[in-house]
Amino acid sequence: MNFVNDPKRDLIEAFTNEEEVKRIHDLEKIIDNDEDLNMRFEDIKKLQRKMVLAKSKGELKAYKEYKDLYNDKLSSFKDLPSVSEYFDLLEEVDLVLVNVSKTIEEEINKKIL
């Protein structure tokens, strides 16, 4: 047995045990196993590629059409309950990670300076 504290491991373990993180993993499984959601997501990615290609070729009219269609499909995709919850939780967890990172950085700077 290793009785030495490993703060990095403890932080990762605490983070992965958060209910929001567990729910994200549950939602990922639901989304990954939903054929309709996967097809819709693939359609969105195809539109995104067309949009980028049109922009790179200077085809501004086509770019705008693809961009409008992309935004509509992405918006309706994000409005689906499981997808909406997934994105909301990702934002929430990302904010927590940013705050934890900032706090760690501040504490390290206090010790150094």
Side-chain angles (χ1 to χ4, degrees):
M1 273 194 200
N2 187 359
F3 294 105
V4 177
N5 269 348
D6 182 358
K8 182 175 69 174
R9 186 193 72 228
D10 293 344
L11 184 60
I12 291 169
E13 187 176 314
F15 182 75
T16 56
N17 285 328
E18 287 294 314
E19 288 303 314
E20 293 85 354
V21 174
K22 289 178 180 179
R23 181 65 180 151
I24 286 172
H25 290 298
D26 292 342
L27 288 167
E28 284 174 341
K29 290 175 188 170
I30 291 168
I31 293 168
D32 287 345
N33 291 321
D34 188 314
E35 192 173 320
D36 180 55
L37 286 179
N38 283 305
M39 286 180 10
R40 290 172 78 165
F41 188 58
E42 283 303 314
D43 287 344
I44 291 168
K45 290 193 304 189
K46 286 177 187 174
L47 279 171
Q48 186 179 37
R49 286 191 290 271
K50 288 179 180 181
M51 188 175 69
V52 169
L53 185 60
K55 187 175 184 180
S56 72
K57 290 182 174 183
E59 299 170 351
L60 299 181
K61 184 179 178 185
Y63 168 76
K64 185 181 179 335
E65 290 173 7
Y66 288 134
K67 184 177 180 183
D68 290 344
L69 190 54
Y70 168 83
N71 286 334
D72 289 344
K73 287 193 178 242
L74 184 61
S75 179
S76 68
F77 183 71
K78 285 184 171 182
D79 285 343
L80 299 170
S82 56
V83 176
S84 175
E85 181 184 1
Y86 177 75
F87 280 108
D88 288 346
L89 286 171
L90 282 178
E91 273 186 46
E92 189 177 323
V93 167
D94 186 51
L95 184 58
V96 169
L97 285 173
V98 167
N99 288 331
V100 167
S101 178
K102 188 185 291 185
T103 302
I104 291 170
E105 183 178 339
E106 289 170 357
E107 291 300 314
I108 289 172
N109 285 335
K110 284 180 188 176
K111 303 248 187 233
I112 294 173
L113 305 173

